[in-house]
């Protein structure tokens, strides 16, 4: 009798362990970044025609409004932009570079068990494999609740350092720092001259304990439930659909192509290239230059 019970318990435990091992889910996220600051700068630029503004706004919309898919299990996940057919001329190196600097352009793998992430980046025609530790976000649990997609969610907030290579963090410079001297007025040709990067951003996340995985979009993690929404003030990433234990399983593995580099080294590489562009355009009289203050 005891032998039969033991066998039954062992079988149930084994099946539960197998279920936990095979458990997998998929979440679709819509990412949208506010471009009101850019539009204000364009409207104040007398040299920019309405047609030019319209073209730029359409391109910005494609860069700052994206759909991502998160495939996850108990310990790891891959987060990748939904593949779409590009219109002729939209797949240029410059557009791909900007895409990688606005939250897309690669497969973001994170392993919450060993607290690491790997993401492949295509920058200036070179492939990089960024490997580093996941950010240690000190989440503050709030009392507010809401329902997202039928799931009961709880609010959590955190403060994190802003990425110097994420253009979504751009903001207008303070009035005193945006003042232009008469001698420099002729060189000011781009609204980017008046943009700045913050040092820190306040993160608001909504997570659901009903899906008990330590996962979320991009490099967000560390809450007792799947993160269904993230808001940093300029960018909102909202989950629109969740599918659990689908018959079709995703291959949740880290990307492997590219030169292995740390996040700090990658940021330094990008910033160096931006400065080279800035100096090159200044040498041409400032026409079309990208003058951006980093880390202000």
């Amino acid at each position: 009798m005891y032998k039969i019970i033991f066998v039954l318990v062992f079988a149930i435990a084994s099946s539960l362990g197998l279920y936990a091992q095979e458990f997998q889910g998929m979440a679709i996220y819509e990412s949208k970044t506010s471009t009101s600051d850019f539009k204000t700068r364009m409207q104040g630029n007398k040299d920019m025609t309405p047609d030019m503004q319209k073209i730029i706004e359409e391109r910005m919309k494609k860069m700052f409004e994206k759909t991502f898919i998160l495939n996850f299990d108990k310990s790891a996940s891959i987060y990748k932009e939904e593949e779409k057919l590009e219109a002729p001329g939209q797949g240029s190196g410059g557009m791909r570079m900007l895409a990688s600097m606005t939250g897309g352009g690669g497969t973001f793998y994170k392993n919450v068990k060993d607290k690491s992430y790997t993401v492949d980046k295509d920058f200036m025609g070179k492939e990089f494999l960024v490997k580093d530790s996941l950010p240690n976000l000190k989440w503050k649990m709030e009392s507010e609740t809401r329902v997202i997609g039928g799931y009961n969610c709880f609010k959590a907030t955190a403060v994190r350092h802003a990425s110097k290579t994420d253009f979504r963090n751009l903001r207008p410079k303070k009035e005193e720092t945006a003042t232009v001297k008469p001698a420099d007025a002729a060189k000011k040709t781009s609204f980017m001259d008046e943009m700045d990067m913050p040092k820190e951003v306040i993160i608001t996340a909504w997570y659901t304990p009903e899906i008990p995985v330590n996962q979320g979009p991009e490099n967000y993690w560390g809450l007792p439930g799947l993160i269904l929404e993230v808001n940093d003030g300029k960018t909102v990433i909202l989950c629109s659909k969740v599918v659990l234990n689908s018959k079709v399983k995703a291959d949740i593995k880290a990307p492997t192509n590219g030169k292995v580099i740390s996040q700090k080294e990658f940021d330094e590489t990008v910033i160096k290239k931006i400065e080279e562009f800035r100096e090159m355009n200044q040498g041409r009289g400032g026409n079309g230059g990208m003058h951006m203050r980093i880390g202000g």
Side-chain angles (χ1 to χ4, degrees):
M1 181 69 179
Y2 289 108
K3 184 177 181 181
I4 295 174
I5 294 175
F6 175 79
V7 171
L8 288 173
V9 171
F10 179 80
I12 294 173
S14 298
S15 64
L16 289 174
L18 183 62
Y19 171 79
Q21 184 178 5
E22 293 183 348
F23 167 80
Q24 195 175 111
M26 184 269 287
I28 299 176
Y29 292 86
E30 308 294 334
S31 175
K32 186 174 183 179
T33 300
S34 172
T35 59
S36 58
D37 296 332
F38 293 92
K39 291 179 181 179
T40 301
R41 292 295 183 269
M42 285 192 294
Q43 291 170 358
N45 190 334
K46 297 179 181 179
D47 297 327
M48 190 172 292
T49 66
D51 289 339
M52 291 170 63
Q53 290 184 23
K54 185 177 180 181
I55 292 173
I56 293 176
E57 285 182 14
E58 289 177 351
R59 291 184 178 180
M60 287 172 60
K61 183 177 181 180
K62 290 181 179 180
M63 285 194 295
F64 292 113
E65 294 185 14
K66 300 178 179 181
T67 300
F68 293 87
I69 298 175
L70 177 74
N71 288 287
F72 58 89
D73 56 29
K74 288 289 185 179
S75 61
S77 68
I78 51 173
Y79 184 73
K80 190 172 184 179
E81 184 177 353
E82 182 182 50
E83 294 183 2
K84 296 179 181 178
L85 292 176
E86 295 180 333
Q90 294 299 314
S92 65
M95 291 299 291
R96 287 196 298 270
M97 179 188 74
L98 288 174
S100 68
M101 298 174 72
T102 53
T107 297
F108 198 112
Y109 169 87
K110 61 178 177 285
N111 189 313
V112 298
K113 191 174 181 179
D114 60 20
K115 300 179 181 179
S116 67
Y117 69 89
T118 302
V119 56
D120 52 340
K121 291 281 189 179
D122 183 356
F123 180 69
M124 300 300 292
K126 295 183 179 180
E127 292 186 358
F128 293 93
L129 195 64
V130 182
K131 290 188 174 185
D132 219 314
S133 300
L134 284 168
N136 183 23
L137 298 174
K138 299 185 183 302
W139 292 107
K140 177 184 178 183
M141 304 302 187
E142 309 286 355
S143 59
E144 296 178 53
T145 63
R146 58 182 284 207
V147 177
I148 299 177
Y151 292 96
N152 294 309
C153 297
F154 294 84
K155 181 180 179 180
T157 57
V159 178
R160 66 175 298 175
H161 291 291
S163 170
K164 296 179 180 180
T165 57
D166 188 345
F167 279 1
R168 294 174 301 177
N169 291 321
L170 282 173
R171 65 183 181 185
K173 286 183 180 179
K174 294 180 180 180
E175 187 175 350
E176 62 269 20
T177 62
T179 304
V180 183
K181 297 179 181 179
D184 296 333
K187 298 181 181 180
K188 303 283 283 183
T189 58
S190 171
F191 65 89
M192 291 291 286
D193 290 324
E194 299 178 7
M195 304 305 289
D196 202 352
M197 284 266 193
K199 288 183 178 180
E200 296 180 333
V201 290
I202 298 175
I203 306 298
T204 299
W206 294 89
Y207 67 96
T208 177
E210 294 172 15
I211 306 178
V213 294
N214 196 351
Q215 293 287 349
E218 294 188 2
N219 60 355
Y220 294 107
W221 71 295
L223 288 169
L226 180 65
I227 299 173
L228 297 185
E229 181 176 330
V230 176
N231 188 329
D232 70 358
K234 287 183 68 68
T235 299
V236 176
I237 305 175
L238 176 63
C239 181
S240 59
K241 182 180 180 180
V242 176
V243 178
L244 299 177
N245 290 317
S246 171
K247 292 182 180 179
V248 180
K249 302 295 183 181
D251 193 13
I252 302 178
K253 293 182 179 179
T256 57
N257 295 330
K259 176 184 176 181
V260 178
I261 192 172
S262 70
Q263 186 66 58
K264 181 181 179 181
E265 290 171 331
F266 178 76
D267 290 346
E268 290 174 350
T269 299
V270 172
I271 293 171
K272 181 180 178 181
K273 186 59 64 175
I274 289 175
E275 288 301 315
E276 289 177 2
F277 273 126
R278 182 183 66 82
E279 292 173 4
M280 180 177 65
N281 286 316
Q282 279 185 336
R284 294 175 180 175
N287 294 327
M290 180 185 287
H291 310 296
M292 182 174 65
R293 181 182 173 190
I294 303 291

